[in-house]
Amino acid sequence: MKDFLIVGHGIAGAVLSNLLIEKGKAIDVLDEPNKNISSMVAAGLYNPITGRRMVKTWMADSLFPSMLETYRRLEKVLSSQFLHDIGIYRPFVDIAEQNDWDAKRSDDKFAQFIEDVARDSVSEIDLNDPHGGLHLAQSGYLDIPALLLASSERLKALNSYSEENFEEDKLEIGDDTVFYKGTEYGRVIYCNGLRAQESKHFGWLPFRPVKGDVMIMSGEKDLKKIYNRGIFILPRKNREVKVGSTYQNHFESIEPTEKGQNELLEKLSALCHESFERKEALAGVRPATKDRRPLIGKHPEYGQFYLFNGFGSKGVSLVPYFAHDLLSHLIHGTEINEDVNLNRYLKEYSNPVNISR
Ligand SMILES: Cc1cc2nc3c(=O)[nH]c(=O)nc-3n(C[C@H](O)[C@H](O)[C@H](O)COP(=O)(O)OP(=O)(O)OC[C@H]3O[C@@H](n4cnc5c(N)ncnc54)[C@H](O)[C@@H]3O)c2cc1C
């Protein structure tokens, strides 16, 4: 018998799997890799100050230390580099915003996230920032594909990773365990991103997918920072940048669209006057939820099934903290944080499915 079957190896499944291994748990991971999954398309930004109004992101004081510690530790264990703490620069819209952030430097709530407040334009790039901008601390990007590659290599070396489609119909429920294709597991944890919507066990939860277009472009310089206001410009190798992203709640296709790409170009020209050449269009769908909080926890009827999902547009900063939270629940029986516990939607579980035993 093994302890856990993990379904999906995006950022959620990868981080959780590695933490379970650290705790000495025996796991199997099933994943059907796909270059269009959210984790492969994402820019991987982690940013403590977000939104048009530049507010501190939900639970930043807890999420960010856990995130930095977890990824740095995983880099050592996996002998790979994926955390790039290169910083984010956000132009101010006016002098009032500049003054506001100047004052926040001595405010304990914000000081740890402020590296510097620039009063004048930065010089690396021809940016639309006449009022200067905010250099954010504890910000940068996670190279998610690099993390997934290093993690899958570790799992393969442990004989714990299979590239195959998980077939939910093949699950057989035992008394307090579950069988999948002949192997008995203590628990199954669904880390399957958007495809949780198709699950007969978790499809009743209120997912609200949000599509995003991104673009790979090439410029004339190698940039050192991330620029972000309405849109981000993320440096890559060889003078390339990733530019994104759009937010579409209603969409017919998951492919990149001309409309999405044009929106990016418009926002790009509002942020900077630099010329970039279009190279490649990409799109992905964020596994977001009705209340914009993750969906984590035990199935209401079958305690063998767990979900670790709903990380929306912030998987990089949310996954490590809540992987530790779930781990503590699984190992020590602690309660899962109520803001993310899927049992907040129990009322919507009115139509239990029939599962053969
Ligand atoms: C355009 C865009 C930009 C983004 N930018 C950022 C950003 O800057 N910062 C940030 O933090 N987040 C960003 N995100 C969001 C981020 O990508 C997600 O929060 C995160 O990747 C979700 O990870 P996940 O592991 O839950 O899901 P996924 O990445 O979707 O992974 C799920 C995995 O499960 C596998 N799977 C599903 N069903 C099965 C099955 N039946 N059998 C086998 N395998 C299965 C899938 O193949 C996949 O590998 C962005 C997303 C998009 C689309």
Side-chain angles (χ1 to χ4, degrees):
M1 176 174 146
K2 292 199 169 182
D3 298 305
F4 296 99
L5 175 64
I6 308 293
V7 180
H9 185 261
I11 187 172
V15 171
L16 188 64
S17 298
N18 281 281
L19 298 188
L20 285 166
I21 289 169
E22 280 177 15
K23 296 286 176 196
K25 299 296 172 192
I27 65 168
D28 277 333
V29 181
L30 301 183
D31 188 61
E32 200 174 37
N34 174 346
K35 73 178 174 51
N36 291 323
I37 63 158
S38 196
S39 293
M40 295 301 281
V41 175
L45 264 53
Y46 55 95
N47 180 357
I49 307 291
T50 55
R52 211 172 296 161
R53 291 184 298 117
M54 290 178 76
V55 291
K56 194 154 89 169
T57 185
W58 178 66
M59 284 187 65
D61 296 331
S62 307
L63 298 181
F64 279 66
S66 172
M67 172 190 72
L68 297 172
E69 187 276 326
T70 305
Y71 292 132
R72 285 197 179 118
R73 196 156 41 78
L74 283 180
E75 282 188 325
K76 282 195 192 135
V77 175
L78 301 175
S79 308
S80 175
Q81 204 203 345
F82 29 81
L83 185 71
H84 300 276
D85 54 350
I86 59 174
I88 296 179
Y89 177 78
R90 296 200 56 151
F92 295 129
V93 283
D94 52 27
I95 285 288
E97 201 172 58
Q98 184 196 93
N99 290 338
D100 186 33
W101 281 94
D102 229 357
K104 282 180 172 144
R105 294 169 99 160
S106 47
D107 179 338
D108 285 349
K109 288 206 294 287
F110 291 94
Q112 61 166 319
F113 297 119
I114 301 175
E115 186 188 296
D116 195 14
V117 172
R119 296 180 165 276
D120 302 308
S121 177
V122 294
S123 57
E124 185 191 37
I125 183 173
D126 188 2
L127 211 66
N128 186 9
D129 63 339
H131 311 291
L134 180 62
H135 288 280
L136 285 156
Q138 298 192 46
S139 62
Y141 75 100
L142 186 83
D143 183 344
I144 307 180
L147 162 64
L148 298 188
L149 179 66
S151 168
S152 65
E153 278 169 5
R154 179 192 203 188
L155 294 167
K156 278 177 195 163
L158 294 169
N159 233 347
S160 292
Y161 181 88
S162 307
E163 278 183 12
E164 68 175 70
N165 182 37
F166 163 71
E167 296 170 82
E168 197 172 47
D169 286 342
K170 302 263 160 75
L171 284 175
E172 291 168 51
I173 310 240
D175 285 340
D176 188 35
T177 58
V178 60
F179 293 82
Y180 184 71
K181 295 189 176 174
T183 305
E184 187 178 14
Y185 296 94
R187 302 283 178 264
V188 180
I189 308 180
Y190 286 63
C191 304
N192 51 348
L194 268 191
R195 286 177 68 185
Q197 294 181 112
E198 300 161 15
S199 161
K200 65 180 177 186
H201 302 309
F202 293 109
W204 53 276
L205 284 159
F207 287 92
R208 297 285 185 275
V210 181
K211 184 183 169 188
D213 279 79
V214 294
M215 235 190 265
I216 307 295
M217 305 184 86
S218 70
E220 284 157 13
K221 300 171 190 157
D222 273 319
L223 305 185
K224 297 197 171 50
K225 275 227 160 200
I226 298 165
Y227 298 93
N228 176 219
R229 180 111 220 179
I231 196 174
F232 61 77
I233 306 172
L234 172 76
R236 290 169 36 118
K237 285 185 190 137
N238 305 326
R239 284 178 276 163
E240 279 189 357
V241 292
K242 194 176 224 181
V243 173
S245 351
T246 60
Y247 289 81
Q248 296 150 55
N249 296 309
H250 305 286
F251 52 92
E252 275 158 22
S253 140
I254 59 164
E255 298 301 320
T257 59
E258 203 53 36
K259 187 167 169 261
Q261 303 292 304
N262 287 339
E263 184 183 327
L264 292 178
L265 291 174
E266 252 172 57
K267 288 188 172 164
L268 181 62
S269 58
L271 176 61
C272 81
H273 313 295
E274 206 77 17
S275 65
F276 292 104
E277 189 191 325
R278 284 163 80 156
K279 298 277 261 194
E280 194 186 349
L282 306 168
V285 183
R286 304 167 181 91
T289 64
K290 187 174 161 188
D291 63 2
R292 298 286 182 258
R293 297 280 179 261
L295 287 168
I296 301 173
K298 196 194 290 193
H299 187 273
E301 263 186 275
Y302 302 99
Q304 296 94 323
F305 299 155
Y306 275 80
L307 184 69
F308 187 59
N309 211 315
F311 295 103
S313 58
K314 297 197 173 126
V316 170
S317 53
L318 292 168
V319 163
Y321 179 88
F322 288 110
H324 286 288
D325 195 49
L326 178 59
L327 213 66
S328 165
H329 166 81
L330 294 167
I331 294 173
H332 305 296
T334 54
E335 292 294 326
I336 292 168
N337 180 315
E338 61 182 23
D339 290 336
V340 303
N341 196 322
L342 60 81
N343 69 15
R344 69 191 185 279
Y345 287 115
L346 269 190
K347 274 196 204 131
E348 309 208 9
Y349 186 67
S350 57
N351 196 8
V353 282
N354 247 335
I355 300 169
S356 59
R357 281 173 179 266

